[in-house]
Amino acid sequence: MNKMLDDDQIFNISPGRHVDLDHHCQNGGYSALAKALAQGPETSLKEISDAGLRGRGGAAFPTAEKIKMLRANTEKLRYIICNADEGEPGTFKDRFIMTHIPFQLLEGITIAAFMAGASEGYIYVRHEYPEAQKILRESIEEAERRGFLGENILGSGFSLSLKLFSGAGSYLCGEETALISSIEGKKGRPRLKPPYPTQAGLWQKPTLINNVETLANIPKIIEKSASWYRSFGTPDSPGTKLISLSGDVQNRGLFEVPFGMTFAEIISEYGGGAKTGKAIKAVNIGGASGVLIPPEMLFTPLEYLACSKTGITIGSGAIFVLDDTRSILSNVQNRLRFFLHESCGKCTPCREGLRQANLILDRLLAGEAVRQDVSTLERYTRAIQEASFCGLGQAAGNSLRSSLAYYRDEYLASCRDNKPSFIEEETA
Ligand SMILES: Cc1cc2nc3c(=O)[nH]c(=O)nc-3n(C[C@H](O)[C@H](O)[C@H](O)COP(=O)(O)O)c2cc1C
Ligand code: SF4
């Protein structure tokens, strides 16, 4: 069984204030960049591939495979984008990395750009993170002054021009193609894939786009080796995951957790369990786009393979615990309204499906719905998930689908034709 980490292994999440460049260097920082530049992009990429690093932005795509796609492209001008939009409700891991260990992120971006052959890049930071934007701007300037960024990095001949780009408050702009449109000055709407960003991304050039946490893993892998990295986690999911734990637990916060621990262990060992005197009713895994699972499923390990088999979406790594005082329907409606607000309206299943689903939840919560409404809600959920154009709509139905599967009784109990008084009325 995986144990809690003795120390934060990949992310130093203990300091109260942000780590400056000198502190970063004194603790081994930028030795990974020097090593990568000396050993070359192929050797460095093999290390990332052997480490089995997967994207932490939600889709868990193997990072080395993405970089290989860029390397296979003959186009000379290539871009790197760090996705720091972090709009998933209940997720605050990327903000921590940007505000506390910004140079670990900058070092990871620079190594990734070197491996991919990218010479220009952006960090796309969500508008609601002004402190992270300020720290990153200053850190970029400092890294440039000290030769870790910009022209001829550490005298290697490799150059990377990195700029910060602020989002404008749209959750959808976290989706990679919408994000690219947004940087290009267009409406932040998703594009059809393929072509993928690795083929035709920013200004139609090959573009590597990765999440903050993904990129911040890279320096430690290069510095300490793939086999060291694989000493954490499981063969399927090596390394650790930053978990944003919130809701009805004793200790809320950010934790670095080795893959392989069960959700029950994470909640009890890091979160201290449910609030005193309360029992856990449900747990939301993966943020608003994730699923709601009952306590019996908490014995599933935090691992991509095991979770995909049971329909759990690890997503951004947000875990929200609901105790037995919470209403499942209110919680689901809360998230549905979030997606309704953030939907761009381009396609009907998402735009209209979410609206209709929300109306049914209104009726259910007001005690005015009938059992037929629950079946209709199930049909709408399938249509939203299967026919929406982009990941927003496809994931928006996850909380509906899972709650209808595991908490169907609570839906039915809210229907007026499920109450004894209604049955008496009908048969009178
Ligand atoms: C609606 C929507 C919002 C997203 N928001 C984010 C986000 O805030 N941050 C992020 O890294 N990825 C987000 N993603 C995933 C990105 O499209 C993309 O897969 C990710 O940045 C790739 O990086 P990775 O391979 O390192 O995970 C979002 C996807 C969708 C569909
Ligand atoms: S699924 Fe929703 S957010 Fe995505 S394109 Fe369609 S309407 Fe827009």
Side-chain angles (χ1 to χ4, degrees):
M1 189 188 75
N2 267 274
K3 288 268 174 285
M4 286 174 80
L5 299 173
D6 292 334
D7 255 321
D8 299 320
Q9 297 295 332
I10 295 159
F11 302 96
N12 179 6
I13 60 174
S14 44
R17 55 174 211 92
H18 101 256
V19 170
D20 60 27
L21 183 51
D22 287 331
H23 190 286
H24 179 66
C25 291
Q26 279 153 20
N27 288 282
Y30 279 116
S31 60
L33 175 62
K35 187 174 173 186
L37 293 170
Q39 69 190 10
E42 289 290 354
T43 310
S44 305
L45 187 53
K46 183 168 181 313
E47 206 68 35
I48 301 301
S49 179
D50 291 349
L53 176 64
R54 302 217 216 164
R56 305 291 198 245
F61 192 84
T63 307
E65 295 311 308
K66 233 189 231 187
I67 300 177
K68 282 180 197 162
M69 286 175 204
L70 254 96
R71 290 187 65 77
N73 202 304
T74 51
E75 182 70 57
K76 288 260 178 316
L77 178 57
R78 301 169 200 176
Y79 290 99
I80 183 165
I81 298 175
C82 168
N83 189 341
D85 201 43
E86 196 166 62
E88 193 63 53
T91 312
F92 37 85
K93 66 190 178 77
D94 295 344
R95 180 183 62 189
F96 183 91
I97 293 173
M98 291 185 281
T99 53
H100 288 73
I101 43 172
F103 292 104
Q104 183 168 332
L105 173 62
L106 294 184
E107 187 176 359
I109 294 173
T110 313
I111 298 171
F114 175 63
M115 292 187 293
S119 54
E120 293 186 31
Y122 290 91
I123 308 180
Y124 189 101
V125 190
R126 77 179 292 203
H127 175 259
E128 295 86 342
Y129 283 176
E131 193 198 356
Q133 294 194 1
K134 180 174 177 291
I135 291 174
L136 279 179
R137 270 204 188 89
E138 290 168 1
S139 303
I140 289 173
E141 280 171 19
E142 175 93 33
E144 280 173 351
R145 268 198 304 277
R146 304 267 289 266
F148 295 118
L149 258 180
E151 290 293 317
N152 191 20
I153 294 170
L154 300 178
S156 65
F158 169 66
S159 302
L160 175 65
S161 157
L162 189 63
K163 296 189 185 74
L164 193 138
F165 193 99
S166 173
S170 155
Y171 168 75
L172 183 55
C173 282
E175 193 282 333
E176 55 191 15
T177 61
L179 185 155
I180 286 170
S181 295
S182 163
I183 296 183
E184 289 174 348
K186 300 177 187 143
K187 272 189 196 163
R189 288 199 173 176
R191 298 177 185 172
L192 192 65
K193 290 188 275 192
Y196 293 98
T198 47
Q199 303 164 303
L202 188 60
W203 292 296
Q204 295 302 311
K205 302 292 180 195
T207 303
L208 177 69
I209 173 159
N210 277 121
N211 171 258
V212 168
E213 185 185 349
T214 314
L215 291 162
N217 265 280
I218 289 177
K220 282 283 162 71
I221 296 172
I222 299 292
E223 182 195 340
K224 300 202 169 191
S225 84
S227 54
W228 172 83
Y229 189 76
R230 279 189 173 274
S231 67
F232 309 104
T234 69
D236 169 74
S237 306
T240 64
K241 178 82 195 80
L242 289 179
I243 295 292
S244 313
L245 182 59
S246 61
D248 303 323
V249 279
Q250 306 276 355
N251 316 315
R252 301 173 208 167
L254 185 67
F255 303 101
E256 183 176 2
V257 176
F259 279 105
M261 277 185 100
T262 65
F263 292 106
E265 286 169 338
I266 295 170
I267 292 167
S268 66
E269 294 184 30
Y270 291 92
K275 285 190 178 160
T276 317
K278 300 279 183 280
I280 293 176
K281 179 175 182 179
V283 178
N284 164 225
I285 316 264
S289 14
V291 290
L292 265 180
I293 58 166
E296 310 86 82
M297 286 179 74
L298 292 176
F299 295 98
T300 312
L302 171 79
E303 189 196 50
Y304 292 114
L305 185 64
C307 284
S308 74
K309 280 186 188 158
T310 45
I312 297 175
T313 43
I314 296 177
S316 58
I319 299 183
F320 184 90
V321 177
L322 288 82
D323 70 21
D324 50 8
T325 61
R326 300 264 189 173
S327 149
I328 296 290
L329 269 58
S330 300
N331 182 273
V332 170
Q333 185 175 48
N334 211 359
R335 288 192 268 154
L336 199 66
R337 285 184 171 164
F338 167 76
F339 286 116
L340 198 49
H341 180 73
E342 297 295 339
S343 165
C344 76
K346 172 174 162 151
C347 63
T348 314
C350 172
R351 185 189 63 238
E352 289 306 317
L354 291 174
R355 201 169 68 85
Q356 294 301 329
N358 185 44
L359 289 175
I360 294 180
L361 275 156
D362 275 346
R363 286 206 294 281
L364 279 160
L365 283 160
E368 290 164 4
V370 291
R371 292 167 68 97
Q372 180 62 40
D373 285 321
V374 178
S375 309
T376 308
L377 189 58
E378 271 171 335
R379 274 197 297 118
Y380 288 165
T381 302
R382 270 198 301 278
I384 295 166
Q385 294 218 273
E386 288 169 15
S388 284
F389 179 81
C390 84
L392 185 146
Q394 288 155 16
N398 277 338
S399 56
L400 277 168
R401 174 182 56 77
S402 52
S403 60
L404 281 160
Y406 304 123
Y407 298 91
R408 198 183 170 78
D409 287 352
E410 198 164 322
Y411 280 91
L412 294 175
S414 304
C415 296
R416 66 187 170 91
D417 56 352
N418 208 44
K419 303 217 162 54
S421 59
F422 181 90
I423 296 162
E424 280 160 23
E425 218 176 89
E426 286 281 280
T427 49

